[in-house]
Amino acid sequence: MQRIGVFVCHCGTNIAATVDVKAVAEALSHEPGVVISQDYQYMCSESGQNLVKDAIKEHKLTGVVVCSCSPRMHENTFRKAAASVGLNPYLVEIANIREQCSWIHKDIATATDKAVILGKAAVAKVHLNAPLTAGESPVAKRALVIGGGIAGIQTALDIAEAGFDVDIVEKKSTIGGKMAQIDKTFPTLDCAACILTPKMVEASQNEHITIHSFSEVSEVKGFVGNFTVTIKKKARYVDEVKCTGCGACVEKCPMKKVPNEFNEGLDNRHAVYIPFAQAVPKVATIDPNYCMMLKNGKCGICSKVCTAGAIDYKQQDRFIEQKYGAIIVATGFNPINLDKYDEFAYNQCPDVVTSLELERLMNAAGPNGGTLLRPSDKTHPHTIVFVQCVGSRCDDEKGKPYCSKICCMYTAKHAMLIREKYPDTEVYVFYIDVRTPGKNFDEFYRRAVEQYNVHYIKGMVGKVTPKSDGKIDVQASDLLSNEQLHINADMVVLAAAIEPDKTARPLATMLTTQMDTNDFFTEAHPKLRPVESATAGIFLSGACQGPKDIPETVAQASAAAAKAIGLLVKNSITCNPCVAHSDELLCNGCSSCEKVCPYGAITYQDKEFRMPDRTTAIRRVASVNPAVCQGCGACTVACPSGAMDLNGFSNSQIMAEVDAICK
Amino acid sequence: MQVNDNNFQPVIVAFCCNWCSYAGADLSGTNRLNYPTNVKIIRVPCSCRVNPMFILRAFQKGADGVIICGCHPGDCHYTSGNYYTRRRITLLYSMLDFLGIERNRTRLEWVSAAEGAKFAATMQQFTEDVRKLGPNRRLEDLRCRKQ
């Protein structure tokens, strides 16, 4: 026989003002199984909790119903109180008579009636509650960082610093990301490579960090503390261990006409390549789309010149499986494709470049060795026009609705660097607004205008037309003087909007994390949990969560690392006991539940059963892995024989609530 | 059957998923947004936990309307639960048609944790719609009827 205690809270006047709490307690005291029904001013206060605890002990209660605020608020409080006096915490039910009754209704009579019905439904449910025990699940002491840009490197270094093993998975053949391509950084104008490459080396030399370059995440299984990830190490046709990075193969490779991605296609590389001098790992990679040996078996020069014997034309993609406790996403960004922007003649004229291309043109390690020359005729440009917000803050389908955040600052940087190095070059910047929120950012922009005489013009560029004499006509309007302008430019630089990397969307599906409409990862709370995803154990680092500059990226990377470390130091985490379970005697092994399970928590086993005629038979039955099950209940509805049920929200419990409400 | 009885108080069962809609209902409470007392909420982990059997049971036991609220498509805490719900409810509609129960007595709505106002407005509208339909007689077990 159940012995149920009902405790009705006044919540000061929050509940008591519109619900007659004494009448509720009185009405519920007549429900079957209820042995005590009390009301109290503040049930969540210490004395209120003691009231509940004393009643549990005194009346040997087998179930507790608290009529109070939302279970999202105080369910845990009362569960803990019950557990402290030896009652299983899952024998406590909350009837929400504040958020879903007293706060939304004004009439005392009808609100009280509703509160009684909600209380009755909770009593009916608690009759069928079973004591549940939360399992413990061990935490794998290893973290996975997806993406090897500055965000991923910083996160990995911080986690390694705390003494945990970290793996970085980078899809390109070297870590470094976008920052490796950048020439100088704002607002200090220090050299990007000078601050990034030591960090890359530090990551490669750290005993806790393993770098999987030229690799991808191909499968993610499991849950917080216990992810199993399959990493695909793509064939690079060079043995990573044997290769010394001497570059002899690159030098001798006859296939020299491959567009160089690292220089944004502004020059060419060989079919076997090392992206840049400071690449980490410094290992050559053979591009199978261009290598003549791999395409038609004719060449093989690189294997002849390689003294280390590292070239392996027969290398295959390899898959490695590893367990991780935490996963940090640092997939970063890319500039958008400008194919749809015909008005800027990006595809027609080589002297119309994106800002990232300009970074390479100005970089000492770039195609021109740091001298700014026009890509078309290698002459020095005398007039350069910068166009801001190309695809950013755009309300049509071509572009992005958001502000890309970094363009105003890097354009000021470019303008300043050009004016510094080539004072004879006139620089025009067309902008909608100049946005400079950041430490020393506005001072930096004003220096560009005042000290370096960069012409900032408020207005959008309407059309860019390449002319036959090699010059470019830039047609624009000056919004402040309301004049139409024509500028005879030598080069045009487009500040293309940035968007999340294309690999982010399939990755989000694998990780069961959420994304916004622009494919940026969604944080668990925009203000209070900015580096966690809503999926436990998955953290966000850098521009994959939204446009960011380098200092912000590094700050978020370290924050994500701190959160991941907080998880990794635990030896085990408590599991949710409200998971599905299958009644083996009812299960007919049809696989309906397995197909709908989003977590792959259901497997099948052949089990021996004793039949009524004393023979034994082997039957295929479902079994749920309680550590993997998240308790959504999809399987319980799919099960045709009713074998599958959910702890804490069982068929009979929900039905009892339905009955109590409809009665 | 149209009944113009303004005193008719329909019994409405609302199934709300724990992550979005139940939080949305709490938010409409926090913002003191009024909706009729007829609506009684049952908390479920995910809208996909709602077995169509529960809906039929509610109609059998005397409910006049049943509403299921879940996360918006693509926002399910369990990734795909609300898609299952959407399919199941579509199938249930054809069964309800067969049984002769008005379609409008069952509704599926997406309410996020931020949509307290939408929750209150939806409940108000649904209660009005069910009130216009009048009491549910078709599947009601007469033994359950209130005297």
Side-chain angles (χ1 to χ4, degrees), chain A residues 70-72 75 96 99-100 103-105 114 596 599 631-632 634 636-637 645 649-651 659 662-663, chain B residues 18 22-23 26 29 32-35 37 39 41-43 45 48-49 54 57-58 61 75 78 84 88 146:
Chain A
S70 171
R72 296 170 62 88
E75 190 172 54
N96 184 345
E99 279 86 347
Q100 294 177 6
W103 273 355
I104 42 170
H105 305 312
K114 178 172 172 179
V596 296
Y599 303 99
C632 65
T636 60
V637 185
D645 213 343
F649 295 94
S650 69
N651 287 329
D659 291 358
C662 297
K663 204 153 52 180
Chain B
N18 182 45
Y22 196 87
D26 277 354
R32 312 296 197 275
L33 300 168
N34 190 267
Y35 57 85
T37 50
V39 178
I41 296 170
I42 294 178
R43 184 163 72 128
C48 75
R49 178 65 189 93
F54 301 157
R57 172 79 159 213
K61 291 284 174 179
D75 283 348
Y78 305 102
Y84 293 131
R88 285 168 187 161
K146 273 181 224 155

Side-chain angles (χ1 to χ4, degrees), chain B residues 39-112:
Chain B
V39 178
K40 318 281 191 304
I41 296 170
I42 294 178
R43 184 163 72 128
V44 285
C46 176
S47 59
C48 75
R49 178 65 189 93
V50 179
N51 197 322
M53 187 172 72
F54 301 157
I55 299 166
L56 294 175
R57 172 79 159 213
F59 285 131
Q60 186 197 7
K61 291 284 174 179
D64 301 296
V66 178
I67 182 161
I68 300 101
C69 300
C71 309
H72 283 270
D75 283 348
C76 178
H77 182 78
Y78 305 102
T79 13
S80 52
N82 48 4
Y83 295 128
Y84 293 131
T85 314
R86 189 161 64 181
R87 287 191 187 188
R88 285 168 187 161
I89 298 300
T90 311
L91 281 173
L92 179 72
Y93 277 144
S94 49
M95 183 180 172
L96 291 174
D97 285 348
F98 174 75
L99 291 172
I101 298 177
E102 298 89 338
R103 232 171 224 242
N104 297 347
R105 291 191 189 278
T106 313
R107 185 176 294 177
L108 177 62
E109 279 287 342
W110 310 130
V111 180
S112 82

Side-chain angles (χ1 to χ4, degrees), chain A residues 28 51 84 101 209 256 263 269 319 340 350 361 473 480 511 532 579 589 596 614 643 647:
Chain A
L28 294 177
L51 187 87
S84 72
C101 190
I209 299 179
K256 295 173 183 171
N263 281 339
R269 61 165 169 83
F319 291 87
K340 288 179 191 159
L361 287 173
D473 177 52
L480 296 180
L511 297 170
E532 294 151 87
V579 293
V596 296
R614 299 193 163 211
N647 288 340

Side-chain angles (χ1 to χ4, degrees), chain A residues 51-67:
Chain A
L51 187 87
V52 178
K53 288 184 201 171
D54 293 343
I56 293 172
K57 284 188 281 190
E58 192 185 329
H59 297 276
K60 298 192 172 55
L61 297 181
T62 58
V64 168
V65 169
V66 185
C67 302

